[in-house]
C-alpha cells in the first residue's frame, strides 16, 4: 500500500481500503487516529435493503470534502484528514464512506471525525438510492439552505 | 447558453444528466422557474442551486457559460 | 486476512493491524464502524519521546478488555466490539491500541468507542514507560479506586 | 503461601516480577503492609490491589494460594 499516491479527498467507484487512509493521516505528531466507516446496513425500519446506489456531482463533491478537511485542520490544530466516498452500486456491508482523522490528542480526533460526517450529510452533493425487494427510492436526509441556520 | 446538471430523482424525471439551454441574463431563481416548467412532475421545493460548483442563493446572477446544478437534499455518508 | 481467527480482546507483542478488527466487527446490521488507534507521539509537553515500553498484567488485562466489550454490547444494543493492546517496545507512530466498534447508527459507534478508551485508561492493568533522550519514566495517568467515584 | 505480582515501577524496585511468600491469614491491607516494609523505596500510596485478577478493597481477605497483584496507576491506551 503506497500511502504517497493517495488522494485524500476523493469520490471513487472503487472499493475503499480504510487502512490506506489511516496510514495517510498518521504522523509523528499524532497520538490518536480515528476512522469512521459508513457501511451498508441490511435492515432499516423493518425494511430490507437489497443494495444501494450512490451518485455524486463529482467535482463539487470532491471540492466540498476538501473544504471539510480544511475546516477541520483549522478548528483542530495539528490534525490531518482524509475523506473518501464511494459511488455506484454497493452491497450489504460495503463501505460507502471513510473518514480518517489524526490529532495529537484523542478528544479532538473523535470530535473532528464526527464533525466531518455531520458536514458530509449536510453539504456534500452525494445521493443514495435504496433498493428494496419491492421498490426503490432516492433518500434525502436533509436539505441544505445557503444562508440558513444549518451551516 | 448555460449548462444544467441533474442528479438523483431530477435526473430520472428529466431523462438526462445534463443539458444546455439558451441564456442571456437572469438569476438562479429564473433557472429554477425554467426547470419547474420544463419538468413539472418533479417537486423542486427543497432543491438547492449550485453555480459553478458552489451553493448560491436564488438571487445570484447566472451568466452565459455558467454550470448550474440542481441539488436535491443530499444523502451521502 | 482471516477475520475468523481473531481474538477480539487481546494483549499482544505483535504489531496491530487495524483493518482486521474493522472487518471483524462489521456485520449486516451495522451502518457505522468506528476505529480508534492510539499511536506513539514524538513530542509531549516539549519533551521528545524516543520510544515507549508497554507492560501488562496480561491475563487480567485481557479479562478487563473483554469486560469493557460486554459493557458496550449491553449499553449500545447490536454493537460489536474488538479491543487489542500491544505491549513491548513501540517506536514513534506505532499503534499501541486499537478499538473497533460497529453499530446500526453512527452516534452509538462514536460514543461506545470513546467509552472504551476512557475505560481502558481507568481500569486495564497496562503501563507505559516513556524513554526520552535523557531519561525514562513509568507514566501513571490516574489511579483506580475500587468503590471510588471513578467507576 | 501466596503469589505476588509486580509491575512497572514496583517491579523495578523489587527487582523481580513475581515472588511467593508464606501466608496463613489476613487481608489485602496486610499484604500491602508487608510490601511497604519489604520495598520501602517504592511509594505505594496510589497502588491498588487485585486478588486473582480482580480489583478488591483493602478489607478483602487473602487466602493461601491466591494471586495478589500490586497495580500502580495504569497508563495504557
Amino acid at each position: 500500500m503506497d500511502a504517497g499516491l493517495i488522494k485524500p479527498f476523493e469520490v471513487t467507484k472503487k472499493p475503499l481500503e480504510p487502512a490506506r487512509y489511516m496510514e495517510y493521516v498518521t504522523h509523528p505528531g499524532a497520538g490518536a487516529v480515528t476512522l469512521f466507516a459508513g457501511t451498508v446496513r441490511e435492515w432499516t425500519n423493518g425494511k430490507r435493503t437489497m443494495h444501494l446506489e450512490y451518485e455524486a456531482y463529482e467535482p463539487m463533491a470532491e471540492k466540498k470534502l476538501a473544504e471539510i478537511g480544511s475546516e477541520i485542520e483549522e478548528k483542530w490544530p495539528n490534525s490531518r484528514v482524509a475523506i473518501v466516498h464511494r459511488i455506484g452500486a454497493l452491497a450489504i456491508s460495503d463501505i460507502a464512506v471513510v473518514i480518517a482523522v489524526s490529532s495529537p490528542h484523542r478528544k479532538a480526533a473523535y470530535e473532528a471525525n464526527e464533525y466531518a460526517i455531520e458536514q458530509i450529510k449536510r453539504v456534500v452533493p452525494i445521493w443514495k438510492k435504496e433498493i428494496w425487494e419491492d421498490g426503490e427510492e432516492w433518500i434525502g436526509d436533509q436539505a441544505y439552505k445557503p444562508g440558513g441556520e444549518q451551516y | 447558453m448555460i449548462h444544467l446538471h441533474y442528479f438523483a430523482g431530477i435526473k430520472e424525471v428529466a431523462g438526462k444528466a445534463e443539458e444546455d439551454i439558451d441564456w442571456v441574463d437572469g438569476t438562479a431563481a429564473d433557472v429554477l422557474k425554467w426547470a419547474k416548467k420544463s419538468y413539472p412532475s418533479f417537486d423542486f421545493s427543497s432543491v438547492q442551486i449550485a453555480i459553478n460548483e458552489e451553493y448560491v442563493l436564488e438571487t445570484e446572477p447566472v451568466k452565459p457559460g455558467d454550470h448550474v446544478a440542481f441539488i436535491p437534499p443530499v444523502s451521502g455518508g
Side-chain angles (χ1 to χ4, degrees), chain A, chain B:
Chain A
M1 296 192 294
D2 187 346
L5 294 176
I6 268 189
K7 277 184 71 180
F9 303 101
E10 190 181 19
V11 171
T12 175
K13 289 195 169 62
K14 283 180 279 185
L16 303 181
E17 296 173 63
R20 299 184 70 201
Y21 300 97
M22 289 202 70
E23 286 169 26
Y24 173 82
V25 300
T26 299
H27 62 100
V33 178
T34 52
L35 189 128
F36 175 85
T39 53
V40 179
R41 192 177 54 227
E42 187 166 19
W43 294 90
T44 298
N45 302 327
K47 227 169 178 174
R48 184 180 188 179
T49 297
M50 305 306 286
H51 74 277
L52 295 184
E53 292 271 347
Y54 278 95
E55 177 179 314
Y57 184 16
E58 296 185 38
M60 182 171 167
E62 292 191 343
K63 194 175 140 185
K64 289 287 157 193
L65 292 178
E67 281 176 18
I68 294 169
S70 300
E71 283 171 38
I72 288 174
E73 288 172 3
E74 197 174 305
K75 276 175 195 271
W76 288 277
N78 301 309
S79 57
R80 194 175 291 178
V81 186
I83 311 175
V84 288
H85 205 299
R86 189 174 166 192
I87 55 173
L90 272 72
I92 303 303
S93 288
D94 277 355
I95 299 173
V97 60
V98 166
I99 303 165
V101 178
S102 70
S103 164
H105 301 285
R106 69 182 186 281
K107 202 83 197 163
Y110 282 110
E111 278 179 11
N113 199 302
E114 201 164 359
Y115 175 82
I117 185 68
E118 301 297 337
Q119 287 299 91
I120 288 167
K121 290 180 171 283
R122 206 167 274 168
V123 304
V124 179
I126 297 177
W127 299 271
K128 137 173 106 179
K129 184 196 248 179
E130 292 191 349
I131 293 96
W132 310 298
E133 282 164 309
D134 61 348
E136 57 178 48
E137 190 178 47
W138 286 103
I139 307 302
D141 282 344
Q142 60 188 130
Y144 171 77
K145 297 277 179 202
E149 67 203 2
Q150 284 186 350
Y151 196 48
Chain B
M1 197 177 71
I2 54 175
H3 313 284
L4 305 185
H5 298 262
Y6 306 120
F7 305 98
I10 309 179
K11 185 169 85 177
E12 291 182 357
V13 165
K16 62 191 100 171
E18 300 178 21
E19 71 183 313
D20 293 343
I21 63 168
D22 288 333
W23 195 259
V24 177
D25 192 28
T27 64
D30 296 325
V31 181
L32 195 58
K33 203 179 294 167
W34 179 90
K36 284 176 181 168
K37 200 186 286 175
S38 303
Y39 306 109
S41 67
F42 191 82
D43 174 11
F44 280 87
S45 63
S46 54
V47 166
Q48 300 302 315
I49 304 291
I51 299 180
N52 302 329
E53 303 168 12
E54 199 52 70
Y55 291 107
V56 296
L57 296 172
E58 291 191 10
T59 51
E60 187 78 9
V62 176
K63 299 175 303 297
D66 280 350
H67 287 262
V68 180
F70 299 91
I71 313 280
V74 305
S75 51

